[in-house]
Amino acid sequence: MYKNIEKQKKIQLKDLVEYQSGQVVSKTLVQNEKVSMTIFSFDKNEEISTHAASGDAMVTVLEGKGKFTVGNDVFILNAGETLIMPKDIPHAVYGEEQFKMQLVVSF
């Protein structure tokens, strides 16, 4: 089920992706018909533009601070904070500074 990650080893999720200048970097850990789990790094001023997901999306900021727009609401999340973005509600993610996050989508 898990891929791109070592098993039976203590890790820091934030260490699974590096920052790259001018980019959003992602590493998929799980992808199936019920759940998707991905780790992202955002360089400053990089974004994932507005879109909607077919499942509830839970984001947890692992490092830094990210800006999340869900419908008409804006949330600033710091390391350790989590937000649920409901399915079919348009949302976007923006790096006001470099940050890393874990995304889990349940279908």
Side-chain angles (χ1 to χ4, degrees), residues 3-15:
K3 60 183 181 179
N4 301 319
I5 188 170
E6 291 186 63
K7 297 175 182 173
Q8 285 188 258
K9 181 179 179 186
K10 185 169 103 172
I11 60 167
Q12 292 271 339
L13 292 175
K14 67 183 177 120
D15 294 339

Side-chain angles (χ1 to χ4, degrees), residues 38-50:
T38 307
I39 306 298
F40 288 87
S41 70
F42 286 73
D43 196 16
K44 183 177 181 177
N45 297 322
E46 292 303 313
E47 67 181 327
I48 296 176
S49 60
T50 302

Side-chain angles (χ1 to χ4, degrees), residues 32-88:
N32 60 48
E33 66 281 349
K34 294 183 181 181
V35 66
S36 170
M37 183 186 305
T38 307
I39 306 298
F40 288 87
S41 70
F42 286 73
D43 196 16
K44 183 177 181 177
N45 297 322
E46 292 303 313
E47 67 181 327
I48 296 176
S49 60
T50 302
H51 64 285
S54 59
D56 288 339
M58 180 175 76
V59 293
T60 300
V61 172
L62 303 172
E63 179 176 87
K65 177 171 55 176
K67 177 181 171 183
F68 299 81
T69 303
V70 184
N72 295 320
D73 298 321
V74 175
F75 301 88
I76 303 296
L77 272 66
N78 294 292
E81 296 181 320
T82 299
L83 174 69
I84 307 292
M85 299 181 291
K87 73 178 234 169
D88 300 325

